[in-house]
């Protein structure tokens, strides 16, 4: 008997013992019945739910802005200003909706490598969509927040932009708050999903290469 | 097929093959909280996917794929415990304990390959389940078995 055959025999015997001693088949019909009624707890399913909530909020804010707009119809400058907010929220929400519709948490019949790649791509996609949404809506929200009180008092948008004090606040806000928000959201995503993504990346590489 | 009938059929099938789920969870996950979560997630994913299961492969092969997919994509709540090394010089150490310890020490991909191999799947079947090429599987299995042979102290009987 050569070394390979000898090893195969030893392994087959040890594996059988291992199955009998460590992985005994436990009959638990009730647990199976209960488990299939529950919702998936996979990362991608959690992200999908989170995205749904964010879309809900974005729609609510858009509706709120539209209602606010209806009460400001006599002020042309306010109409312009609020319209910018509404358009940016609608664009951001559409981007999130596209991302939401593309998510498929079901593993299905895909092979393991394809499934891991899909999962990796989907997690990255959702995180990118959330960041894009935040950027699209955050910048107009900052501008809106700075200008709204002045425009409501009767100043025009152009007048506000020519005031060096307003410009200074706006520039500081945008150049400090936007990168800060981007940095914080990146850090939070890394903390929440970084290890998972890294593990997926490593496993994909291990499956594709011989190293 | 009515929903109830389908559910009953699924539960019976899973009950028959749930050794696969126990085995993979046992080899990949150490703490009880993660074990419970992953088990629930496997059953949930299997039930969702069962509607699309056309019976082109055996139910056990399909369940194997869903189980490995779920385990490998699962985000663990707690870091894995250190693998307990066993004294290999101790003659009383049983072979299955040694094999268990060796498999637990392997990385996730190698663990998947040797488990499928030991469960009797051929390289072509493993390639279909994993999406890896047969060549890769051949080389990786050769390397894993070499490590195991060294630990089992198997030498050429010449």
């Amino acid at each position: 008997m050569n070394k390979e055959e000898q090893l195969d025999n030893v392994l087959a015997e040890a594996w059988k013992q291992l199955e009998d001693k460590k992985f005994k088949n436990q009959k638990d019909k009730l647990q199976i019945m209960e488990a299939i009624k529950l919702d998936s707890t996979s990362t991608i399913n959690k992200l999908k739910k989170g995205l749904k909530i964010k879309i809900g909020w974005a729609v609510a804010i858009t509706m709120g802005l539209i209602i606010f707009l209806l009460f400001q119809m006599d002020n042309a400058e306010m109409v312009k200003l609020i319209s910018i907010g509404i358009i940016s929220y609608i664009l951001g929400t559409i981007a999130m909706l596209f991302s939401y519709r593309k998510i498929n948490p079901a593993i299905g019949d895909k092979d393991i490598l394809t499934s891991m790649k899909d999962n990796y791509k989907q997690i990255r996609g959702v995180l990118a969509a959330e960041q894009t949404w935040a950027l699209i809506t955050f910048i107009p929200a900052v501008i809106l927040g700075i200008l709204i009180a002045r425009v409501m008092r009767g100043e025009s948008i152009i007048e506000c932009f020519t005031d060096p004090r307003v410009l200074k606040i706006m520039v500081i806000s945008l150049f400090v708050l936007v990168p800060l928000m981007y940095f914080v959201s990146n850090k939070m995503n890394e903390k929440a999903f970084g290890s998972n993504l890294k593990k997926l990346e490593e496993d994909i590489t291990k499956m594709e290469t011989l190293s | 097929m009515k929903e109830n009938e389908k559910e009953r059929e699924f539960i019976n099938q899973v009950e028959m093959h749930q050794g696969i789920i126990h085995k993979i969870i046992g080899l990949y996950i150490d703490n009880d909280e993660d074990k419970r979560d992953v088990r629930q997630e496997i059953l949930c994913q299997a039930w969702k996917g069962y509607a699309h299961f056309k019976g082109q492969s055996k139910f056990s092969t399909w369940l194997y794929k869903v189980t490995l997919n779920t385990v490998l994509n699962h985000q663990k709540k707690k870091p894995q415990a250190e693998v307990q090394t066993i004294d290999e010089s101790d003659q009383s150490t049983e072979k299955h304990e040694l094999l268990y310890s060796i498999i637990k020490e392997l990385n996730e991909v190698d663990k998947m390959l040797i488990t499928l191999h030991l469960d009797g799947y051929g390289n072509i079947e493993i390639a279909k389940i994993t999406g890896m090429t047969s060549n890769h599987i051949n080389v990786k299995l050769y390397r894993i078995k070499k490590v195991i042979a060294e630990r089992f102290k198997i030498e050429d009987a010449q």
Side-chain angles (χ1 to χ4, degrees):
Chain A
M1 195 187 291
N2 65 22
K3 187 178 169 180
E4 207 174 316
E5 284 171 342
Q6 202 186 341
L7 177 66
D8 282 340
N9 286 342
V10 172
L11 282 180
E13 196 190 319
W15 185 246
K16 203 186 168 306
Q17 279 180 0
L18 191 57
E19 287 204 288
D20 291 342
K21 292 186 178 166
K22 285 223 190 276
F23 314 125
K24 258 223 158 102
N25 211 350
Q26 294 158 9
K27 301 267 179 192
D28 43 12
K29 202 174 218 156
L30 198 68
Q31 269 188 37
I32 303 170
M33 284 167 79
E34 280 170 4
I36 63 173
K37 305 273 185 242
L38 297 169
D39 206 5
S40 166
T41 54
S42 67
T43 307
I44 196 67
N45 205 41
K46 281 182 203 159
L47 279 170
K48 191 176 183 182
K49 280 185 192 164
L51 205 56
K52 195 177 175 182
I53 293 168
K54 286 189 183 92
I55 292 170
W57 273 107
V59 170
I61 292 169
T62 312
M63 298 300 282
L65 283 172
I66 291 171
I67 292 167
F68 187 47
L69 179 74
L70 292 176
F71 287 101
Q72 302 292 328
M73 292 307 272
D74 51 342
N75 185 343
E77 289 295 303
M78 276 300 281
V79 171
K80 278 187 223 163
L81 195 63
I82 298 166
S83 298
I84 295 169
I86 292 172
I87 290 167
S88 63
Y89 262 87
I90 289 174
L91 287 177
T93 309
I94 289 171
M96 274 210 295
L97 260 174
F98 270 117
S99 172
Y100 180 80
R101 286 175 62 120
K102 273 198 269 178
I103 300 173
N104 178 17
I107 283 170
D109 212 16
K110 289 176 254 180
D111 64 65
I112 292 161
L113 184 58
T114 309
S115 162
M116 284 165 91
K117 282 182 177 173
D118 280 358
N119 196 25
Y120 180 82
K121 227 163 81 181
Q122 289 197 84
I123 295 172
R124 277 246 180 265
V126 175
L127 298 179
E130 285 185 349
Q131 255 181 356
T132 310
W133 178 81
L135 283 176
I136 292 175
T137 53
F138 187 71
I139 297 170
V142 169
I143 298 171
L144 215 74
I146 294 167
L147 299 185
I148 206 154
R150 284 167 165 262
V151 176
M152 271 181 99
R153 279 202 303 265
E155 280 182 53
S156 73
I157 298 173
I158 302 288
E159 274 170 3
C160 292
F161 275 116
T162 50
D163 182 347
R165 224 163 54 98
V166 172
L167 268 180
K168 206 160 46 178
I169 296 172
M170 209 174 280
V171 168
I172 291 171
S173 303
L174 292 179
F175 282 92
V176 174
L177 287 181
V178 173
L180 187 72
M181 189 202 76
Y182 196 78
F183 176 79
V184 171
S185 73
N186 259 345
K187 279 276 159 215
M188 281 168 72
N189 283 344
E190 205 182 299
K191 196 173 174 221
F193 306 104
S195 61
N196 193 20
L197 285 169
K198 197 169 164 237
K199 186 184 140 261
L200 278 171
E201 227 173 275
E202 282 171 4
D203 283 348
I204 291 168
T205 311
K206 273 180 208 148
M207 287 176 84
E208 286 183 327
T209 60
L210 282 172
S211 58
Chain B
M1 197 188 290
K2 281 180 189 164
E3 186 69 10
N4 276 351
E5 236 177 278
K6 198 162 189 180
E7 191 178 307
R8 230 186 348 258
E9 185 191 273
F10 173 78
I11 292 168
N12 286 337
Q13 290 265 42
V14 172
E15 209 182 9
M16 231 187 314
H17 299 286
Q18 64 179 313
I20 293 169
I21 303 175
H22 287 296
K23 180 165 37 194
I24 302 296
I25 291 178
L27 287 171
Y28 276 85
I29 296 157
D30 294 324
N31 76 76
D32 290 342
E33 195 187 345
D34 274 325
K35 275 184 183 173
R36 211 174 33 244
D37 287 354
V38 174
R39 191 181 139 68
Q40 185 199 306
E41 184 61 20
I42 291 166
L43 291 168
C44 183
Q45 289 288 352
W47 173 236
K48 274 187 189 166
Y50 191 61
H52 308 287
F53 174 63
K54 302 278 188 291
Q56 283 160 336
S57 59
K58 279 194 257 171
F59 181 83
S60 56
T61 305
W62 176 80
L63 186 65
Y64 225 122
K65 202 194 285 188
V66 174
T67 305
L68 281 166
N69 254 327
T70 311
V71 170
L72 288 168
N73 283 305
H74 176 74
Q75 184 169 19
K76 292 174 187 77
K77 283 181 184 154
K78 288 180 183 167
Q80 292 295 90
E82 285 280 308
V83 179
Q84 278 188 328
T85 46
I86 55 172
D87 182 7
E88 288 164 31
S89 59
D90 183 357
Q91 294 297 313
S92 66
T93 302
E94 290 192 65
K95 288 262 190 277
H96 75 271
E97 286 291 351
L98 180 56
L99 180 62
Y100 182 67
S101 153
I102 297 169
I103 296 176
K104 290 281 278 183
E105 284 171 34
L106 294 173
N107 70 51
E108 300 206 328
V109 175
D110 288 352
K111 208 181 274 183
M112 168 179 75
L113 294 178
I114 194 69
T115 309
L116 284 162
H117 174 77
L118 291 171
D119 257 338
Y121 288 94
N123 285 8
I124 294 168
E125 277 176 299
I126 298 177
K128 274 187 194 158
I129 294 172
T130 59
M132 293 166 73
T133 65
S134 284
N135 264 351
H136 270 165
I137 294 165
N138 254 333
V139 175
K140 282 191 186 270
L141 277 176
Y142 173 79
R143 286 178 186 167
I144 301 165
K145 284 169 96 175
K146 202 173 157 195
V147 171
I148 297 175
E150 277 164 19
R151 300 273 297 270
F152 269 73
K153 296 178 179 66
I154 293 175
E155 284 154 18
D156 275 320
Q158 282 169 356

